[in-house]
Amino acid sequence: MKAGRGAVIAAIVLLAGACYRQVVQTGRTPSSTVIDNPWTHTFLWGIVPAKPIDVTAQCRSGIATVVTEQSFWNGLATVLTLGIWGPRHVTITCATGSALGRGALEVFALDESPEARSDALARAMEASARTAAVVVLRF
């Protein structure tokens, strides 16, 4: 009788940590560039999140899709470590085209000086007020 209860409890615990999949789409057209991280580390049942994944060098035009999932192997690793280490599989698909939306403007700071940055900010605010469009300020 006790062995049967133990088996049921073990099955419930294993099923509670089932696989999952989350897809975030930005609405941009995907490109052929895909960044695949099958073992993105989280800890303490996900309470301590993974470090941010910097894809700015690979995705110059932005991100089209981010898929986060727990594969069978990720789930097995989580169960074996009692949730202390909980890896996730993250797949990022870069976007094609411009990272700016339609009608967006870019304003660049000419150098790193505070005066140049202040001037660029003033130009960006003026352009935004004049055109009512998105203005991206680049330093």
Side-chain angles (χ1 to χ4, degrees):
M1 185 74 169
K2 286 186 179 184
R5 259 193 270 171
V8 169
I9 291 172
I12 290 171
V13 168
L14 287 174
L15 290 175
C19 300
Y20 71 88
R21 178 180 175 96
Q22 176 186 16
V23 179
V24 177
Q25 296 178 332
T26 64
R28 295 184 182 179
T29 305
S31 73
S32 60
T33 305
V34 176
I35 294 94
D36 189 38
N37 292 331
W39 297 95
T40 303
H41 311 290
T42 66
F43 298 94
L44 300 175
W45 308 276
I47 295 172
V48 178
K51 291 180 182 175
I53 301 170
D54 184 8
V55 294
T56 53
Q58 297 96 334
C59 299
R60 302 296 292 170
S61 297
I63 296 172
T65 307
V66 177
V67 178
T68 305
E69 58 190 352
Q70 182 176 14
S71 68
F72 171 78
W73 298 111
N74 296 144
L76 182 62
T78 302
V79 168
L80 291 176
T81 63
L82 302 175
I84 295 170
W85 175 53
R88 305 290 186 259
H89 185 174
V90 178
T91 306
I92 301 167
T93 304
C94 298
T96 60
S98 173
L100 300 175
R102 272 196 188 150
L105 304 170
E106 282 187 282
V107 174
F108 294 91
L110 301 176
D111 58 48
E112 296 294 319
S113 70
E115 295 80 22
R117 288 179 178 225
S118 178
D119 179 58
L121 179 59
R123 286 185 287 132
M125 290 188 319
E126 188 275 324
S128 178
R130 180 175 28 86
T131 64
V134 173
V135 177
V136 178
L137 182 57
R138 303 221 188 251
F139 291 107

